[in-house]
């Protein structure tokens, strides 16, 4: 009897781990940067390469950083959501154009609409690496002191905006 009991127990434990794993949301990857200061950066603007923006320029207001690229298929999915949302968002949304060709990025924004307060250029991906970007699109909510309060992995959806990002932005703006 014991000969079959231990393999059965091991099998049930394995099934338990699989069941828990299948119920986790893959978009909720814990980030070590949550509640930590956003990484320092300074980079040029996509549409005004003679100007630059850095983290210190954004301190004092709640802001959103959306990492995107013209070659990113999932970015195309979220882009109309951002275009519509930023018309009424009341929070600056900065695009971080990640490992992209500036010409392709500009054409993409011209063709599909530009939801960004400004698009920041990250040609070599160093800023993205500092932010712990796994892939595009990813979106960060940063508070008035420059601390990252939320990270969304994957395309931003209307539900994510309504249920998570908008309430958080309101809370951070009032707090």
């Amino acid at each position: 009897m014991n000969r079959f009991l231990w393999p059965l127990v091991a099998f049930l434990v394995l099934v338990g781990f699989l069941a828990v794993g299948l119920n986790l949301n893959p978009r909720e990857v814990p980030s070590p940067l949550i509640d930590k200061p956003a990484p320092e950066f300074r980079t040029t603007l996509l549409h005004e390469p003679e100007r630059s923006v850095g983290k210190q320029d954004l301190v004092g207001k709640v802001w959103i950083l959306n990492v995107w690229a013209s070659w990113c298929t999932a970015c195309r999915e979220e882009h109309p959501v951002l275009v519509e949302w930023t018309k009424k968002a009341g929070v600056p949304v900065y695009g971080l154009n990640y490992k992209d060709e500036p010409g392709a990025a500009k054409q993409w924004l011209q063709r599909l609409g530009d939801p960004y307060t400004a698009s920041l250029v990250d040609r070599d991906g160093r800023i993205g690496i500092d932010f712990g970007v796994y892939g595009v699109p990813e979106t960060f909510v940063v508070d008035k002191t420059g601390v990252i309060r939320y990270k969304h992995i994957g395309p931003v959806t209307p539900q994510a905006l309504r249920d998570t990002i908008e309430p958080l932005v309101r809370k951070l703006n009032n707090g």
Side-chain angles (χ1 to χ4, degrees), residues 61-139:
K61 59 188 169 192
V62 176
W63 53 283
I64 292 176
L65 182 70
N66 175 251
V67 185
W68 70 281
S70 65
W71 46 261
C72 163
T73 305
C75 297
R76 185 173 298 272
E77 179 185 330
E78 83 169 354
H79 197 76
V81 173
L82 289 176
V83 168
E84 195 59 38
W85 183 69
T86 55
K87 291 177 184 173
K88 61 177 174 80
V91 61
V93 178
Y94 292 89
L96 181 65
N97 186 234
Y98 183 75
K99 295 184 177 180
D100 204 356
E101 292 295 324
K106 288 177 186 175
Q107 286 179 350
W108 202 72
L109 292 174
Q110 186 175 24
R111 191 175 58 248
L112 301 175
D114 188 348
Y116 303 115
T117 303
S119 284
L120 315 175
V121 175
D122 188 19
R123 291 276 322 252
D124 59 5
R126 289 196 172 276
I127 298 171
I129 289 170
D130 290 345
F131 271 82
V133 171
Y134 295 98
V136 288
E138 291 187 11
T139 303

Side-chain angles (χ1 to χ4, degrees), residues 19-88:
V20 169
L22 289 174
N23 288 313
L24 295 176
N25 184 347
R27 294 177 193 257
E28 292 181 6
V29 177
S31 171
L33 294 178
I34 299 299
D35 296 329
K36 302 272 176 29
E40 294 291 334
F41 66 88
R42 177 155 293 281
T43 188
T44 58
L45 301 180
L46 180 66
H47 290 95
E48 298 175 75
E50 68 283 354
R51 286 189 51 215
S52 67
V53 169
K55 175 188 162 187
Q56 291 307 316
D57 300 321
L58 306 176
V59 170
K61 59 188 169 192
V62 176
W63 53 283
I64 292 176
L65 182 70
N66 175 251
V67 185
W68 70 281
S70 65
W71 46 261
C72 163
T73 305
C75 297
R76 185 173 298 272
E77 179 185 330
E78 83 169 354
H79 197 76
V81 173
L82 289 176
V83 168
E84 195 59 38
W85 183 69
T86 55
K87 291 177 184 173
K88 61 177 174 80

